[in-house]
Amino acid sequence: MSSQTGSGVGVIDKASAVLAALEAGPASLAELVALTGLARPTAHRLAVALEYHRFVGRDLQGRFILGPRLSELSSAAGEDRLLAAAGPILAQLRDRTGESAQLFRRQGDLRLCVAAVERPVGLRDSVPVGATLSMRAGSAAQVLLAWEEPDRLHTGLRGARFSATMLSGVRRRGWAQSIAERERGVASVSAPVRGPSNRVVAAVSISGPVDRLTRQPGRLHAQSVVEAGRALTEALTRA
């Protein structure tokens, strides 16, 4: 690799070369060596280090591929666009359903409320912006986990109040519901928000008392929540 075209920080330049090679598709170690011009031990060491940090992954044949961390960073870069669109879309969702509405993003083993609008009067479920809730319960947690890669999905199910079968249903329907799963007396409905790569980057939700939402809240409000998720997806993926 020519120093004239590099940044002057050799390890960064070499790691960048590995990622650039994988942009074209899966590659074996031998193919990485050929594509990057790096020595075999160097290419292997860098690919394994990038895999540790999830910038690189492996396919079913064991070949190196671009990893999920890149999509996560891309999603974070689109955060401003998502939040700018969230206010009016959540307000419309609240007005259509009569329930408080929220937008959640995953943050490790928790989910973070990044936007919210509350039902103005009466009994409501209040989730303030900045609140962190469990990834082990609630319809938003189901949505944020349901489309994860198999290994992360399996790990996320440990100790969860929902099952793999329930998440299969979430993927099939395109929305999730929970009844007193996160908190006694509270029900919710959630739908996915997808980024440019079609990866689920957020969950849009409504929540309120079970007495009002009933024990089948999805029957009442799934369509409205799914439509809000689609509107947010369009705002995030619009060129």
Side-chain angles (χ1 to χ4, degrees), residues 27-46:
S28 66
L29 179 57
E31 289 168 333
L32 267 187
V33 170
L35 290 166
T36 61
L38 297 172
R40 186 181 180 91
T42 301
H44 182 261
R45 184 173 67 252
L46 286 171

Side-chain angles (χ1 to χ4, degrees), residues 198-221:
N198 204 40
R199 181 178 177 274
V200 174
V201 298
V204 60
S205 305
I206 60 161
S207 59
V210 174
D211 288 347
R212 193 166 59 231
L213 271 73
T214 76
R215 300 196 69 82
Q216 291 292 331
R219 185 173 298 173
L220 294 177
H221 298 305

Side-chain angles (χ1 to χ4, degrees), residues 22-223:
L22 295 178
E23 188 177 359
S28 66
L29 179 57
E31 289 168 333
L32 267 187
V33 170
L35 290 166
T36 61
L38 297 172
R40 186 181 180 91
T42 301
H44 182 261
R45 184 173 67 252
L46 286 171
V48 170
L50 289 166
E51 183 181 13
Y52 175 81
H53 290 288
R54 300 174 60 245
F55 288 99
V56 165
R58 305 271 188 139
D59 66 8
L60 294 176
Q61 286 75 47
R63 297 174 299 179
F64 294 105
I65 58 174
L66 292 177
R69 184 64 182 139
L70 293 166
S71 294
E72 292 167 3
L73 291 173
S74 176
S75 299
E79 179 96 358
D80 288 346
R81 196 187 318 175
L82 180 61
L83 295 184
I89 291 173
L90 290 181
Q92 183 180 48
L93 178 61
R94 175 201 58 196
D95 295 344
R96 288 185 65 180
T97 63
E99 303 297 341
S100 299
Q102 308 89 27
L103 183 67
F104 292 96
R105 297 201 69 167
R106 185 170 184 176
Q107 194 173 73
D109 292 331
L110 299 170
R111 51 187 169 102
L112 173 70
C113 180
V114 296
V117 295
E118 290 192 0
R119 174 187 168 96
V121 295
L123 190 62
R124 58 185 179 265
D125 179 41
S126 181
V127 182
V129 172
T132 54
L133 302 179
S134 172
M135 276 292 294
R136 299 292 188 263
S139 62
Q142 293 177 37
V143 165
L144 291 171
L145 188 60
W147 284 272
E148 281 282 14
E149 297 169 355
D151 57 337
R152 296 191 80 194
L153 190 152
H154 180 74
T155 300
L157 282 170
R158 294 173 187 163
R161 298 190 65 183
F162 44 79
S163 65
T165 300
M166 290 173 66
L167 295 189
S168 177
V170 171
R171 290 191 296 274
R172 184 178 65 255
R173 294 190 307 265
W175 54 269
Q177 66 178 6
S178 70
I179 302 93
E181 195 173 273
R182 171 177 64 85
E183 184 177 340
R184 185 176 180 181
V186 174
S188 65
V189 182
S190 297
V193 178
R194 296 180 182 274
S197 65
N198 204 40
R199 181 178 177 274
V200 174
V201 298
V204 60
S205 305
I206 60 161
S207 59
V210 174
D211 288 347
R212 193 166 59 231
L213 271 73
T214 76
R215 300 196 69 82
Q216 291 292 331
R219 185 173 298 173
L220 294 177
H221 298 305
Q223 182 176 347

Side-chain angles (χ1 to χ4, degrees), residues 7 11 169:
S7 68
V11 67

Side-chain angles (χ1 to χ4, degrees), residues 221-237:
H221 298 305
Q223 182 176 347
S224 295
V225 178
V226 168
E227 288 175 0
R230 288 174 181 160
L232 285 165
T233 295
E234 290 173 6
L236 191 57
T237 57

